Coordinates of all heavy atoms in Angstrom, one line a residue:
A17 N -56.3 -198.9 -70.1 CA -57.3 -199.1 -69.1 C -58.7 -198.7 -69.6 O -59.7 -199.3 -69.3 CB -56.9 -198.2 -67.8
F18 N -58.8 -197.6 -70.3 CA -60.1 -197.2 -70.9 C -60.6 -198.2 -71.9 O -61.8 -198.4 -72.1 CB -60.0 -195.8 -71.5 CG -60.3 -194.7 -70.5 CD1 -59.4 -194.3 -69.5 CD2 -61.5 -194.0 -70.5 CE1 -59.6 -193.4 -68.6 CE2 -61.8 -193.0 -69.6 CZ -60.9 -192.7 -68.6
C19 N -59.7 -198.8 -72.6 CA -60.1 -199.9 -73.6 C -60.6 -201.1 -72.8 O -61.7 -201.6 -73.1 CB -58.9 -200.3 -74.4 SG -59.2 -201.6 -75.6
K20 N -59.9 -201.5 -71.7 CA -60.4 -202.7 -71.0 C -61.6 -202.4 -70.2 O -62.6 -203.2 -70.1 CB -59.2 -203.1 -70.0 CG -59.5 -204.3 -69.2 CD -59.5 -205.5 -70.0 CE -59.6 -206.8 -69.1 NZ -59.6 -208.0 -70.0
T21 N -61.7 -201.2 -69.5 CA -62.8 -200.9 -68.6 C -64.1 -200.5 -69.4 O -65.2 -201.0 -69.1 CB -62.4 -199.8 -67.7 OG1 -61.3 -200.2 -66.9 CG2 -63.5 -199.5 -66.7
H22 N -63.9 -199.6 -70.4 CA -65.0 -199.1 -71.1 C -65.3 -199.6 -72.5 O -66.3 -199.3 -73.1 CB -64.9 -197.5 -71.2 CG -64.8 -196.8 -69.8 ND1 -65.9 -196.7 -69.0 CD2 -63.8 -196.2 -69.2 CE1 -65.6 -196.1 -67.9 NE2 -64.3 -195.8 -68.0
G23 N -64.3 -200.4 -73.0 CA -64.5 -200.9 -74.3 C -64.2 -199.9 -75.4 O -64.6 -200.0 -76.6
L24 N -63.4 -198.8 -75.0 CA -63.0 -197.8 -76.0 C -62.1 -198.4 -77.1 O -61.1 -199.1 -76.7 CB -62.3 -196.6 -75.3 CG -61.9 -195.4 -76.2 CD1 -63.1 -194.7 -76.8 CD2 -61.0 -194.5 -75.4
N25 N -62.4 -198.1 -78.3 CA -61.6 -198.7 -79.4 C -60.4 -197.8 -79.6 O -60.3 -197.0 -80.5 CB -62.5 -198.6 -80.7 CG -61.8 -199.3 -81.9 OD1 -60.7 -199.8 -81.7 ND2 -62.5 -199.3 -83.0
V26 N -59.4 -198.1 -78.8 CA -58.1 -197.3 -78.8 C -57.0 -198.2 -79.1 O -56.8 -199.3 -78.7 CB -57.9 -196.6 -77.4 CG1 -57.9 -197.6 -76.3 CG2 -56.7 -195.7 -77.4
S27 N -56.1 -197.7 -80.0 CA -54.8 -198.3 -80.2 C -53.7 -197.3 -79.9 O -53.9 -196.0 -79.9 CB -54.6 -198.6 -81.7 OG -55.5 -199.6 -82.1
I28 N -52.5 -197.8 -79.5 CA -51.4 -196.9 -79.2 C -50.3 -197.1 -80.2 O -50.0 -198.2 -80.6 CB -50.9 -197.3 -77.8 CG1 -51.9 -197.1 -76.7 CG2 -49.6 -196.6 -77.4 CD1 -51.6 -197.6 -75.3
T29 N -49.6 -196.0 -80.6 CA -48.5 -196.1 -81.4 C -47.3 -195.6 -80.7 O -47.4 -194.6 -79.9 CB -48.6 -195.3 -82.7 OG1 -48.8 -193.9 -82.4 CG2 -49.8 -195.8 -83.5
R30 N -46.1 -196.2 -80.9 CA -44.9 -195.8 -80.3 C -43.8 -195.7 -81.4 O -43.4 -196.7 -81.9 CB -44.4 -196.8 -79.2 CG -45.4 -196.8 -78.0 CD -45.0 -197.8 -76.9 NE -46.0 -197.8 -75.9 CZ -46.4 -198.9 -75.1 NH1 -45.8 -200.0 -75.4 NH2 -47.3 -198.7 -74.2
C31 N -43.4 -194.5 -81.6 CA -42.6 -194.2 -82.8 C -41.2 -193.8 -82.3 O -41.0 -193.3 -81.2 CB -43.2 -193.0 -83.6 SG -42.4 -192.8 -85.2
C32 N -40.2 -194.0 -83.2 CA -38.8 -193.6 -83.0 C -38.7 -192.1 -83.3 O -39.7 -191.4 -83.5 CB -37.9 -194.4 -83.9 SG -38.1 -194.2 -85.7
N33 N -37.5 -191.6 -83.2 CA -37.2 -190.2 -83.5 C -37.7 -189.8 -84.9 O -37.4 -190.4 -85.8 CB -35.7 -189.9 -83.4 CG -35.3 -189.7 -81.9 OD1 -35.9 -190.3 -81.0 ND2 -34.3 -188.9 -81.7
N34 N -38.4 -188.7 -84.9 CA -38.9 -188.1 -86.2 C -38.0 -187.0 -86.7 O -37.3 -186.3 -85.9 CB -40.3 -187.5 -86.0 CG -41.4 -188.5 -86.1 OD1 -42.4 -188.4 -86.8 ND2 -41.3 -189.6 -85.4
Y35 N -38.0 -186.8 -88.0 CA -37.3 -185.7 -88.6 C -38.0 -185.3 -89.8 O -38.9 -186.0 -90.3 CB -35.8 -186.0 -89.0 CG -35.7 -186.9 -90.2 CD1 -35.4 -186.4 -91.4 CD2 -35.9 -188.3 -90.1 CE1 -35.3 -187.2 -92.5 CE2 -35.8 -189.1 -91.1 CZ -35.5 -188.6 -92.4 OH -35.4 -189.4 -93.5
G36 N -37.8 -184.0 -90.3 CA -38.5 -183.5 -91.5 C -38.6 -182.0 -91.4 O -38.1 -181.4 -90.5
P37 N -39.2 -181.4 -92.4 CA -39.3 -179.9 -92.5 C -40.1 -179.4 -91.3 O -41.1 -180.0 -90.8 CB -40.1 -179.7 -93.8 CG -39.9 -181.0 -94.6 CD -39.8 -182.1 -93.6
S38 N -39.8 -178.2 -90.9 CA -40.5 -177.4 -89.9 C -40.4 -178.0 -88.5 O -41.3 -177.6 -87.6 CB -42.0 -177.1 -90.3 OG -42.8 -178.2 -90.1
Q39 N -39.4 -178.8 -88.2 CA -39.3 -179.3 -86.8 C -38.8 -178.2 -85.9 O -38.1 -177.3 -86.3 CB -38.3 -180.5 -86.8 CG -38.3 -181.2 -85.5 CD -37.5 -182.5 -85.6 OE1 -36.6 -182.7 -86.5 NE2 -37.7 -183.5 -84.7
H40 N -39.3 -178.2 -84.6 CA -38.9 -177.2 -83.7 C -37.4 -177.2 -83.5 O -36.7 -178.2 -83.4 CB -39.6 -177.5 -82.3 CG -39.4 -176.3 -81.4 ND1 -38.4 -176.1 -80.5 CD2 -40.3 -175.3 -81.2 CE1 -38.5 -175.0 -79.8 NE2 -39.7 -174.5 -80.2
G41 N -36.8 -175.9 -83.4 CA -35.4 -175.7 -83.4 C -34.6 -176.3 -82.3 O -33.4 -176.5 -82.4
E42 N -35.3 -176.7 -81.2 CA -34.5 -177.2 -80.0 C -34.2 -178.7 -80.2 O -33.4 -179.3 -79.5 CB -35.2 -177.0 -78.7 CG -36.5 -177.8 -78.5 CD -37.3 -177.4 -77.3 OE1 -36.8 -176.5 -76.6 OE2 -38.3 -178.0 -77.0
K43 N -34.9 -179.4 -81.2 CA -34.7 -180.8 -81.4 C -33.3 -181.1 -82.0 O -32.7 -180.2 -82.6 CB -35.8 -181.4 -82.3 CG -37.2 -181.3 -81.6 CD -37.3 -182.2 -80.4 CE -38.7 -182.2 -79.9 NZ -38.9 -183.1 -78.7
L44 N -32.9 -182.3 -82.0 CA -31.5 -182.6 -82.3 C -31.1 -182.3 -83.8 O -30.1 -181.6 -84.0 CB -31.2 -184.1 -82.1 CG -29.8 -184.6 -82.4 CD1 -28.7 -183.8 -81.6 CD2 -29.6 -186.1 -82.1

C-alpha cells in the first residue's frame, strides 16, 4: 500500500524455513 500510495521503493521477500549457526533454541 505504501508503494502504491506514496511511491515508496519497496520490495517484499517471502522465504522458506531457515537454518544455520546460532539459531534460537526453540526453533525446530
Side-chain angles (χ1 to χ4, degrees):
F18 271 76
C19 179
K20 182 70 173 180
T21 303
H22 298 289
L24 181 65
N25 186 1
V26 57
S27 297
I28 296 172
T29 63
R30 294 178 180 147
C31 193
C32 64
N33 279 31
N34 277 229
Y35 72 98
S38 77
Q39 191 169 22
H40 192 273
E42 71 185 1
K43 298 293 186 177
L44 180 58

